[in-house]
Amino acid sequence: MQLAYHRFWMNLLCLTLTLILLHGASRVGASRHDDVVKIGAIFTLKTINGRVSKIAIQAAEKDVNSDPRILGGRKLSITIHDSNFSGFLSFIGALKFLMTDTVAIIGPQNSVMAHVLSHLANELHVPLLSFTALDPTLTPLQYPYFVQTAPSDEFQMSAVADMISYFGWREVIAVFSDDDQSRNGITVLGDKLAERRCKLSYKAALPPDPTATPSDVTTQLVKITSMEARVIVLHTFAQTGLLVFDVAQKLGMMTKGYVWIATAWLSTVLDSTSASNTSNSMQGVLTFCPHTPQSRRKQSFISRWKHLSNGSIGLNPYGLYAYDSVWMIAQALKLFFDQNGTISFSNNTNLSGMKEETLDLGALSVFDGGKQLLDNILRINMTGLTGPIQFGPDRSPLHPSYDILNVIATGYRRIGFWSNYSGLSVITPEKLHAKPANRSISSQHLNRVIWPGNTTEKPRGWVFPNNGRQLRIGVPNRVSYRDMVSQVNGTNQVQGYCIDIFLAAIKLLPYAVQYKFVLYGDGHKNPSYYDLVNMIHSDVFDAAVGDIAIVTGRTKIVDFTQPYIESGLVVVAPVKKLKSNAWAFLRPFTPLMWGVTAFFFLLVGAVVWILEHRTNDEFRGPPKEQIVTVLWFSFSTMFFAHRENTVSPLGRVVLLIWLFVVLIITSSYTASLTSIFTVQQLSSPITGIDSLISSSERIGYQVGSFAANYLTEELNIPKHRLVPLGSPEEYAVALERGTVAAVVDERPYVELFLSDHCKFSIRGQEFTKSGWGFAFPRGSPLAIDMSTAILTLSENGELQRILEKWLSEKACGFHSTEDEQLQLNSFRGLFLICGIACFLALFIYFSSVVHQFSKKSPQKAGPSNRCRSRSARIQTFLNFVDEKEDVSPKKLKRKLEYISSNAYTTENRLRSISTRVQVDLSQEAPSG
């Protein structure tokens, strides 16, 4: 409200001043002097950037005018107006320029006046070019005639956020001047940090530069010293910034543990003033400097600078931008004149309606070629002292980048670069532009930093607030399962598994933590863990330690550490021992598994019979005999006791694969049956959470646990089915009396319960996966450090030792029949392989038979006899398939040799086969 009030009076003052200046002004004549092109510049010449810019602009003006090819014999006339830190004087200077045929203005120096003067530029079509008014809110949509010739502060804030994220800090304090440019820059920084999961924890606003006093600065810095964050971003201007560092040094804020990041104002101070006068109070500070690549033109200008400035001030990058801004206007004017443009002005139609006799507004005229000149500026494609100059679609310079500097005793050292293209790097941005963009975490690098306090150890970035208060750590005052956490004999001391883990982890932190345990709960029943976590969010507790499950609802309001134990909900139900019966041998397989196995026995037998029928006499004979043969062969393979030999290659392949399947199945059956008869078997009508949901039985849960919310909200179980139970004894009584059919609780509790109650067991599998952790406020860096400590405890075995100390009791052994049974899914791959082998063998076999049949009996029937011929041919084919295949003499001899060498073949069988072979040989001899 106060800001709007000030703006209102400033705008009213500007309007009044305009009317006064325009009173009696003579109207601009139609005659113009095109041999001189007027340019204006508005700077505060007592500032570093103002002094450097004046020298650079005058040097550029001289260089442009010395080359007649640029403007075709015309001369630039640049007039510099000193605003002397005054917005009022800035406005006066702009009006003077706009009333005297000025075609472009370089400036203003600050964003406050840029917002005001851009409205005049929009109305009168006079481009404004500024390399110091870098407010991100000066957008081309609102201010089309305002052009930022240096990278906007939006890019600088992205660089700051990337560096903060690179070092792993999460909370940042901003100190800034309360003006448009600094305020809007900090707003952008907050957005950039949020994108990287960081945040601005405090904004310290100072009076606008240069009006801040040591008292103003001291007030804000004293507040900061009592805060947790130690990463401070200073976004202001030279005079205020140096004052902040002087006060900070007196308050001891330039020592080890602090991080100071200054924006580009500090690099201009370091470049343009004596380092010995400035670096003593700011050693270890990080700052940014607009990156300008090395070139011969740049080195030549640097060499000229001492002569141009008479050694009064050093050159900084904004001097290079000032020089290039003049050349940008000159090149745009050259193109303007090449396009046959003329410098002419016309009356502003918006002023024609004002008829007051005491005012003559004709002196404010519109630059007719302003739009054309602006377009030429935006299409610039040249190389200047700052490198390639070109504007993107959003009017920002292409590839904005910064040097990252570390202030040391002798001045500063460069530790890396930042570019919008590739992020943080120790390689110059122009080299990275030749490669594909890579913003991955592994590609971000900076050199070693010397931090405040002259240390190279990276500051943690936060401390415990220096307010004398210990951390208030809430601890659940449990009634049941007191091994987890409990009060010691009515005192304020606590002990238990969770407490030991917390104490072991906090000892590993590289800093001391002052804390006290605060019991939460009335001691008569277990407290609500949701309420305990909410008290952290409400700032009643600073942390919570205990058996706190990490679940979704809680992670929305607090941060958890790394889980120190796995957990999950399980179902506990009464069980009874299974008695053995006459059909116990069927238990290893499920009914489906038995059925599929029997089917494959028959399938393989049938396939082998088909493959062997035409060539193997053992698979030929009357139908009844062959059915018996198939059944006998199929089931005898279970014991590898089949006597029939397979002679076809396809039959042997199928049999080999099937015997492998049989081997696996029989081995698994034997192992499972052995386990069933040697281990106690328990059964229950409740087989898991699914059977519990589908029933209408009542379900018990532990008081204070998240199980009740999960069952009702996630599994849609009615609340009237849930029964709260307060202790393991109540679990046992409720289960034995049938008050509840089952209890749903977390596995660590259940394992402790089962160690003393062997009449119950876990049914089914865990149906949630979670863990226990310690809770801290959102964004707390202590949660990260504690997570690292817990991981260290896990790696060195300390977690396991603490677990064995408190929770070493073993639960009763139990086994479920359902768990022991072998499912079809376990053998699906074997059956699939066997089935595919049978299919391929049959396909190859029938293809071969059809081919043989086609060669032996080609089709000769005519169309009239097609139907009768087809049925006859099918019958002929079936007879062909059933016939014994003709065997060549060589095959028969090999068969004889094989059979004669078979130890299992009887002498009568050998004599019979030999006789048939001799007969076949005698029949084929005449035909040979």
Side-chain angles (χ1 to χ4, degrees):
M1 192 69 184
Q2 185 178 5
L3 181 61
Y5 178 82
H6 288 165
R7 286 182 174 175
F8 169 78
W9 281 107
M10 184 175 180
N11 292 336
L12 183 60
L13 175 62
C14 292
L15 178 59
T16 304
L17 178 63
T18 302
L19 298 178
I20 293 173
L21 289 174
L22 293 177
H23 178 68
S26 60
R27 182 170 181 172
V28 180
S31 175
R32 306 289 183 187
H33 299 284
D34 288 345
D35 56 335
V36 176
V37 182
K38 297 181 180 180
I39 307 294
I42 304 174
F43 291 94
T44 296
L45 299 182
K46 292 182 180 179
T47 62
I48 293 175
N49 283 339
R51 294 164 60 193
V52 170
S53 298
K54 178 182 178 182
I55 298 171
I57 288 172
Q58 291 174 342
E61 177 188 12
K62 182 178 179 181
D63 292 346
V64 170
N65 289 334
S66 65
D67 189 350
R69 297 172 300 175
I70 302 299
L71 298 179
R74 302 174 182 84
K75 298 293 183 180
L76 279 184
S77 176
I78 302 179
T79 304
I80 300 178
H81 174 78
D82 183 8
S83 61
N84 195 24
F85 296 104
S86 172
F88 178 82
L89 294 180
S90 295
F91 196 81
I92 291 290
L95 288 176
K96 287 182 178 179
F97 292 143
L98 295 173
M99 293 168 59
T100 55
D101 302 347
T102 299
V103 299
I105 297 176
I106 301 175
Q109 187 171 339
N110 64 73
S111 297
V112 176
M113 289 312 302
H115 282 277
V116 176
L117 299 185
S118 292
H119 291 287
L120 293 176
N122 292 348
E123 190 67 29
L124 302 179
H125 296 181
V126 177
L128 290 178
L129 284 75
S130 180
F131 47 86
T132 54
L134 304 177
D135 184 351
T137 64
L138 287 166
T139 62
L141 294 177
Q142 185 177 7
Y143 306 111
Y145 279 85
F146 181 80
V147 180
Q148 292 174 332
T149 60
S152 163
D153 277 349
E154 178 179 0
F155 299 107
Q156 186 173 198
M157 295 307 160
S158 294
V160 173
D162 276 347
M163 187 164 65
I164 290 170
S165 177
Y166 170 78
F167 286 113
W169 300 314
R170 288 293 174 262
E171 292 191 16
V172 180
I173 293 174
V175 179
F176 62 97
S177 295
D178 196 12
D179 57 48
D180 286 354
Q181 179 161 334
S182 299
R183 187 188 315 108
N184 293 333
I186 293 301
T187 300
V188 172
L189 175 61
D191 295 338
K192 299 297 182 182
L193 289 173
E195 292 174 2
R196 294 156 179 80
R197 300 190 67 184
C198 307
K199 70 175 183 178
L200 281 174
S201 60
Y202 181 70
K203 298 179 183 179
L206 301 174
D209 187 78
T211 62
T213 65
S215 176
D216 297 326
V217 175
T218 301
T219 300
Q220 290 292 349
L221 294 188
V222 168
K223 292 181 181 179
I224 292 173
T225 58
S226 64
M227 296 179 182
E228 184 177 273
R230 283 294 182 265
V231 181
I232 304 170
V233 176
L234 181 56
H235 186 44
T236 180
F237 299 95
Q239 190 166 331
T240 300
L242 294 176
L243 177 60
V244 169
F245 283 126
D246 287 339
V247 175
Q249 186 178 35
K250 295 176 182 177
L251 295 176
M253 299 177 68
M254 302 303 299
T255 56
K256 183 178 180 181
Y258 281 90
V259 177
W260 286 89
I261 301 173
T263 49
W265 67 267
L266 179 56
S267 65
T268 65
V269 174
L270 297 174
D271 284 332
S272 300
T273 61
S274 173
S276 61
N277 295 332
T278 59
S279 61
N280 290 334
S281 63
M282 58 185 77
Q283 292 183 30
V285 175
L286 297 178
T287 186
F288 294 85
C289 176
H291 176 74
T292 55
Q294 297 296 328
S295 65
R296 290 184 179 180
R297 288 190 62 194
K298 176 182 173 182
Q299 291 301 322
S300 175
F301 187 77
I302 293 174
S303 300
R304 292 173 55 195
W305 184 258
K306 187 173 183 180
H307 171 72
L308 294 172
S309 64
N310 294 322
S312 62
I313 192 169
L315 176 64
N316 65 52
Y318 292 105
L320 304 179
Y321 280 108
Y323 184 91
D324 283 349
S325 295
V326 175
W327 273 96
M328 289 172 61
I329 295 175
Q331 293 291 349
L333 285 170
K334 180 180 184 299
L335 182 59
F336 175 80
F337 291 127
D338 291 343
Q339 296 167 342
N340 298 320
T342 59
I343 297 178
S344 62
F345 295 81
S346 59
N347 293 331
N348 190 323
T349 57
N350 290 334
L351 300 176
S352 61
M354 302 181 67
K355 302 297 184 180
E356 284 82 351
E357 296 178 358
T358 59
L359 298 179
D360 184 2
L361 303 179
L364 281 180
S365 51
V366 178
F367 177 28
D368 296 326
K371 181 64 168 63
Q372 185 178 359
L373 179 62
L374 175 65
D375 292 341
N376 291 343
I377 291 173
L378 297 177
R379 287 199 296 267
I380 283 290
N381 188 359
M382 57 177 277
T383 300
L385 300 183
T386 58
I389 300 174
Q390 191 177 356
F391 293 99
D394 59 350
R395 293 195 184 182
S396 64
L398 291 182
H399 304 312
S401 55
Y402 294 87
D403 296 350
I404 302 176
L405 309 179
N406 183 200
V407 181
I408 56 177
T410 56
Y412 63 82
R413 52 190 285 270
R414 183 186 296 110
I415 62 170
F417 306 90
W418 179 91
S419 71
N420 194 44
Y421 182 75
S422 56
L424 300 171
S425 174
V426 294
I427 303 173
T428 57
E430 48 270 21
K431 290 182 179 180
L432 294 175
H433 293 158
K435 303 177 182 179
N438 185 1
R439 295 297 295 269
S440 63
I441 296 177
S442 61
S443 69
Q444 306 297 292
H445 298 288
L446 289 176
N447 289 324
R448 182 175 56 90
V449 179
I450 299 177
W451 303 99
N454 197 30
T455 177
T456 57
E457 180 184 354
K458 188 196 77 172
R460 192 168 68 247
W462 66 277
V463 295
F464 289 102
N466 186 21
N467 52 19
R469 184 174 64 84
Q470 295 177 318
L471 287 181
R472 301 157 301 178
I473 299 180
V475 177
N477 189 8
R478 293 195 59 89
V479 176
S480 61
Y481 298 111
R482 295 174 59 84
D483 287 339
M484 301 298 180
V485 58
S486 62
Q487 184 180 13
V488 178
N489 299 326
T491 66
N492 290 328
Q493 297 180 351
V494 290
Q495 64 179 7
Y497 168 66
C498 305
I499 300 300
D500 279 6
I501 290 179
F502 175 80
L503 295 177
I506 211 164
K507 288 179 182 178
L508 297 178
L509 298 182
Y511 47 86
V513 179
Q514 299 297 322
Y515 62 89
K516 63 178 181 180
F517 293 121
V518 180
L519 288 168
Y520 176 71
D522 57 12
H524 300 293
K525 64 178 180 179
N526 294 333
S528 169
Y529 281 59
Y530 276 103
D531 292 342
L532 175 61
V533 171
N534 275 321
M535 295 185 79
I536 300 175
H537 182 63
S538 303
D539 201 31
V540 176
F541 292 136
D542 299 309
V545 171
D547 46 342
I548 306 172
I550 303 173
V551 294
T552 304
R554 298 172 185 173
T555 58
K556 293 178 180 179
I557 57 176
V558 297
D559 282 349
F560 281 94
T561 62
Q562 174 80 13
Y564 56 84
I565 187 174
E566 292 184 355
S567 180
L569 293 178
V570 294
V571 176
V572 180
V575 292
K576 61 180 179 179
K577 185 178 180 180
L578 283 178
K579 296 181 179 180
S580 182
N581 56 56
W583 303 101
F585 68 91
L586 296 176
R587 288 183 189 172
F589 288 166
T590 62
L592 180 61
M593 179 65 185
W594 279 115
V596 172
T597 303
F599 170 76
F600 265 86
F601 270 109
L602 297 175
L603 174 66
V604 171
V607 170
V608 172
W609 181 84
I610 293 173
L611 298 176
E612 296 290 325
H613 180 67
R614 299 189 69 230
T615 59
N616 193 337
D617 291 334
E618 296 182 12
F619 289 88
R620 299 183 62 82
K624 292 183 178 180
E625 182 181 337
Q626 291 306 299
I627 291 175
V628 173
T629 299
V630 169
L631 294 175
W632 165 255
F633 178 83
S634 298
F635 291 101
S636 62
T637 57
M638 181 185 305
F639 311 102
F640 304 96
H642 54 287
R643 294 183 300 173
E644 293 78 10
N645 295 309
T646 52
V647 298
S648 68
L650 292 176
R652 290 176 177 178
V653 170
V654 171
L655 183 60
L656 179 64
I657 294 174
W658 174 242
L659 291 178
F660 175 74
V661 174
V662 170
L663 175 65
I664 299 299
I665 292 176
T666 53
S667 300
S668 301
Y669 175 86
T670 303
S672 180
L673 188 63
T674 302
S675 174
I676 289 174
F677 285 153
T678 56
V679 179
Q680 180 184 12
Q681 296 297 305
L682 306 175
S683 69
S684 169
I686 303 298
T687 60
I689 187 63
D690 292 332
S691 62
L692 194 59
I693 294 174
S694 60
S695 70
S696 58
E697 301 288 344
R698 304 185 76 186
I699 304 170
Y701 69 91
Q702 183 183 169
V703 174
S705 170
F706 75 96
N709 286 340
Y710 184 86
L711 293 173
T712 56
E713 296 176 5
E714 300 296 332
L715 302 183
N716 298 318
I717 296 177
K719 288 185 178 181
H720 66 81
R721 290 182 57 190
L722 303 183
V723 178
L725 302 172
S727 66
E729 291 73 21
E730 291 185 22
Y731 286 14
V733 171
L735 290 171
E736 289 175 351
R737 293 179 178 178
T739 306
V740 296
V743 172
V744 173
D745 205 351
E746 295 179 76
R747 179 175 283 275
Y749 301 126
V750 170
E751 290 179 349
L752 284 177
F753 171 72
L754 294 179
S755 65
D756 295 326
H757 301 82
C758 296
K759 298 179 181 180
F760 315 103
S761 74
I762 297 175
R763 310 303 296 165
Q765 304 297 321
E766 288 185 9
F767 54 94
T768 66
K769 291 291 184 181
S770 62
W772 291 351
F774 305 136
F776 292 88
R778 294 279 289 182
S780 172
L782 188 56
I784 299 174
D785 290 349
M786 287 293 288
S787 293
T788 304
I790 289 172
L791 288 175
T792 303
L793 293 175
S794 176
E795 293 169 357
N796 62 23
E798 186 64 22
L799 272 186
Q800 184 61 31
R801 284 191 288 273
I802 296 174
L803 178 67
E804 293 174 355
K805 172 185 175 182
W806 289 96
L807 311 177
S808 60
E809 298 179 6
K810 302 297 182 181
C812 299
F814 64 89
H815 289 267
S816 169
T817 302
E818 292 81 2
D819 294 338
E820 292 291 342
Q821 283 190 316
L822 297 175
Q823 306 290 327
L824 174 62
N825 191 55
S826 302
F827 302 92
R828 184 173 54 185
L830 289 174
F831 286 130
L832 180 63
I833 294 173
C834 185
I836 293 175
C838 292
F839 173 79
L840 292 177
L842 290 176
F843 178 79
I844 295 172
Y845 172 77
F846 281 112
S847 298
S848 175
V849 169
V850 169
H851 178 70
Q852 294 176 13
F853 178 74
S854 300
K855 290 177 61 177
K856 183 176 181 180
S857 179
Q859 184 175 354
K860 298 181 180 181
S864 60
N865 298 326
R866 182 171 300 172
C867 295
R868 185 176 58 185
S869 175
R870 179 177 302 170
S871 59
R873 188 171 178 81
I874 292 174
Q875 183 63 38
T876 304
F877 175 74
L878 294 177
N879 293 334
F880 177 78
V881 171
D882 186 57
E883 290 177 357
K884 188 175 185 304
E885 181 181 2
D886 293 335
V887 185
S888 65
K890 293 182 178 180
K891 290 183 179 180
L892 290 172
K893 288 181 178 180
R894 285 199 301 269
K895 180 177 180 181
L896 179 61
E897 292 173 357
Y898 172 78
I899 295 175
S900 62
S901 63
N902 191 336
Y904 296 101
T905 306
T906 61
E907 181 178 357
N908 292 335
R909 185 178 178 186
L910 179 61
R911 184 179 298 109
S912 175
I913 294 176
S914 300
T915 302
R916 288 200 300 269
V917 171
Q918 294 297 330
V919 172
D920 291 339
L921 289 175
S922 63
Q923 290 177 352
E924 291 191 8
S927 62

